[in-house]
Amino acid sequence: MSEKVIVTAALTGAIHTPTMSQNLPITPDEIAEEARRASEAGATVVHVHARDPETGQPSADSNLFGEILSKIKSKCDAVICTTTGGGFGMTVEQRVSVVKAYSPELASLNAGSLNFALHPILGKIKEFKHDWEPQYLAMSEDFIFPNTFKTLREFSEFFAVEDTKPELEIYDAGMLSNVAYLIQQGNIKKPIYLQFVLGILGGMQATLNNLVFLVNSAKEIIGDDFVWSVCAAGKNQFKMCNAALLMGGFARVGLEDNLYLEKGRMAESSGEQVEKIVRIGREHGIEPATPAEAREILKLKGLEKVRY
Ligand code: KMH
Ligand code: ZN
């Protein structure tokens, strides 16, 4: 008997910088090609950020997003989940603009604030390709990723107008209470979709105990009416995704979260990481859901209702 799970490929993100891997997709063409590759490998959903094509810096440019979304749509049928986390230093308005402009089926909604810290990576890199990279990493030491209750309410309202399903990013246990509050206020509707984001300095670390605790806490605080996925920064990506599959959850891989395929071997693409987690899942009789099945599982509005 096979079970169907949503496998997400987070293609580029806003954490890693071009110096860290030559395989990080930067331009709309590269990001769309990565989406195609990930989809071919079995990814159900692709999670996208935009980057400045010249410098690789995370970007909130609406035209760039438009180009990325339409190029992905023309190359594969994976469900697209746009970021509203954006990149460090972007305003809340900039972050949500992709939802207002393109009305995606699914988008991230970061469920609370944290000191999203990447500065320890600075010490590991001697020479950077671009000046913005060390500055970006250094500023994160003092950066609170702002997702206040006002922001959460406003984001939820914009999502509701567009009928965009929120993928609620949970970095810490308290954020589950924030989600419960949003449900109670009628800002978001069950069934909800949680993405546990583990291993970020400033949030909960990627351990099995933490994952079990979060899933149990979610049941306690929210009830049974949710589906969940996990992603983990760096070397814990596959361990946590494997655990999630065994626990009845979904899995997110991709170069946004981890640049490696295994110890000492960099991933050539997010697609390679998708292949690996799909292979691990199949060993347990677990199959990736198709985009059509994901639309059923997540109750998405459908591709005909997006504006890209
Ligand atoms: N860019 C990070 C600050 C998301 O896509 O919503 C958070 C992030 C999550 O990447
Ligand atoms: Zn992201």
Side-chain angles (χ1 to χ4, degrees):
M1 218 177 77
S2 83
E3 300 161 44
K4 294 293 180 89
V5 296
I6 293 175
V7 174
T8 296
L11 303 174
T12 190
I15 293 176
H16 295 125
T17 70
T19 299
M20 297 174 193
S21 170
Q22 59 179 20
N23 301 324
L24 202 61
I26 303 292
T27 67
D29 282 321
E30 288 168 355
I31 293 170
E33 179 52 22
E34 278 286 275
R36 189 201 59 74
R37 207 164 156 183
S39 162
E40 207 173 87
T44 321
V45 172
V46 290
H47 169 69
V48 294
H49 289 241
R51 289 182 185 262
D52 180 309
E54 301 298 320
T55 65
Q57 183 157 10
S59 169
D61 186 300
S62 193
N63 294 331
L64 269 178
F65 264 112
E67 202 181 329
I68 292 166
L69 297 178
S70 56
K71 284 189 162 148
I72 292 176
K73 189 181 176 185
S74 72
K75 281 183 172 236
C76 67
D77 68 352
V79 172
I80 301 178
C81 170
T82 62
T83 183
T84 67
F88 299 154
M90 288 179 196
T91 64
V92 165
E93 289 72 25
Q94 283 175 322
R95 284 166 43 196
V96 81
S97 61
V98 62
V99 171
K100 291 196 204 169
Y102 300 108
S103 197
E105 291 179 89
L106 182 64
S108 65
L109 201 166
N110 291 268
S113 305
L114 72 154
N115 184 174
F116 203 120
L118 306 174
H119 63 285
I121 309 174
L122 261 181
K124 296 185 185 153
I125 300 174
K126 288 197 190 71
E127 235 180 283
F128 286 92
K129 280 190 194 151
H130 305 282
D131 288 345
W132 69 266
E133 298 176 72
Q135 289 161 19
Y136 188 80
L137 299 175
M139 68 85 98
S140 70
E141 186 180 12
D142 196 31
F143 174 68
I144 307 291
F145 179 36
N147 298 291
T148 64
F149 283 103
K150 180 168 183 278
T151 303
L152 296 180
R153 175 176 54 75
E154 289 175 352
F155 272 42
S156 307
E157 287 165 0
F158 291 128
F159 277 57
V161 167
E162 301 300 339
D163 197 12
T164 296
K165 176 93 177 179
E167 178 191 290
L168 294 150
E169 316 293 310
I170 308 289
Y171 301 81
D172 218 331
M175 295 184 190
L176 289 171
S177 319
N178 302 356
V179 170
Y181 176 76
L182 292 176
I183 296 169
Q184 186 215 326
Q185 293 299 304
N187 293 122
I188 54 174
K189 302 244 172 322
K190 290 183 176 183
I192 60 166
Y193 182 28
L194 301 173
Q195 180 77 255
F196 297 117
V197 186
L198 302 182
I200 302 289
L201 183 62
M204 276 172 88
Q205 292 311 289
T207 68
L208 273 177
N209 275 339
N210 280 347
L211 183 59
V212 171
F213 170 72
L214 285 168
V215 173
N216 286 336
S217 293
K219 284 184 189 153
E220 206 174 323
I221 298 171
I222 295 163
D224 282 330
D225 218 359
F226 68 92
V227 288
W228 62 275
S229 173
V230 79
C231 64
K235 66 179 188 320
N236 291 309
Q237 179 175 72
F238 289 103
K239 275 188 217 157
M240 298 312 289
C241 284
N242 191 3
L245 295 182
L246 297 182
M247 289 166 65
F250 304 153
R252 167 172 132 172
V253 294
L255 299 185
E256 168 163 349
D257 305 326
N258 174 30
L259 296 171
Y260 286 81
L261 190 62
E262 58 193 33
K263 192 166 190 251
R265 182 163 159 214
M266 295 196 85
E268 278 174 22
S269 72
S270 294
E272 247 190 337
Q273 296 176 330
V274 172
E275 270 164 29
K276 178 166 170 172
I277 197 64
V278 167
R279 196 171 64 237
I280 292 171
R282 284 197 172 125
E283 292 292 325
H284 303 299
I286 297 168
E287 284 291 321
T290 63
E293 288 164 339
R295 290 189 172 97
E296 263 310 299
I297 296 168
L298 298 177
K299 308 272 176 275
L300 302 181
K301 64 180 175 180
L303 196 52
E304 66 287 355
K305 301 219 174 85
V306 304
R307 286 195 295 276
Y308 55 84

